[in-house]
Amino acid sequence: MSQYVVPAYPAYHVAPAKAYVPIAPVNEQTPYSFVYSVNDPSTYDVKSQAESSDGNGNVKGFYSLLEADGSTRTVEYTADDYNGFNAVVKKEGGYTSDIAYKPTAAPYKPY
């Protein structure tokens, strides 16, 4: 029976661990605002969004997109620490049909 020999590896220098120091306090919020939109007629990708925050936890914004039926869905939202997240969804335009679905009963045929 042969004995396994552990190869000798060179000792590597390990840098001492450094304490993590945050750049800014974790609970500090920064006001922000952004807007973007896409309008690509070749793929029918039409959407937009805007959002802003006052830096005190109050967020307000909206987004909209073109649905497959040609309608536009718009969502307006607000969020804060007191009321939480609230959204209002609207749908405008789109395909409408005057044809109502009327099921017809198939005649009974005994075997």
Side-chain angles (χ1 to χ4, degrees), residues 3 14 18 35 40 46 56 63 84 90-91 93 97 101 109:
Q3 189 172 11
V14 178
K18 294 182 180 181
V35 176
D40 185 356
V46 180
N56 294 320
Y63 67 88
K90 300 175 185 175
K91 186 173 180 175
S97 174
Y101 174 71
K109 295 181 181 180

Side-chain angles (χ1 to χ4, degrees), residues 54 56-60 77-86:
D54 62 1
N56 294 320
N58 302 312
V59 177
K60 183 177 181 180
Y77 59 90
T78 59
D80 59 39
D81 293 335
Y82 182 72
N83 296 311
F85 181 82
N86 294 291

Side-chain angles (χ1 to χ4, degrees), residues 100-104:
Y101 174 71
K102 297 179 184 176
T104 58

Side-chain angles (χ1 to χ4, degrees), residues 6-87:
V6 178
Y9 292 105
Y12 292 101
H13 175 71
V14 178
K18 294 182 180 181
Y20 172 74
V21 180
I23 296 172
V26 175
N27 60 357
E28 183 179 310
Q29 296 182 6
T30 305
Y32 67 87
S33 178
F34 73 86
V35 176
Y36 83 89
S37 65
V38 175
N39 188 350
D40 185 356
S42 65
T43 62
Y44 302 103
D45 188 12
V46 180
K47 58 189 168 193
S48 61
Q49 182 176 4
E51 183 176 290
S52 62
S53 171
D54 62 1
N56 294 320
N58 302 312
V59 177
K60 183 177 181 180
F62 84 92
Y63 67 88
S64 68
L65 59 108
L66 181 64
E67 297 278 7
D69 66 355
S71 65
T72 301
R73 182 189 334 162
T74 303
V75 179
E76 297 174 350
Y77 59 90
T78 59
D80 59 39
D81 293 335
Y82 182 72
N83 296 311
F85 181 82
N86 294 291

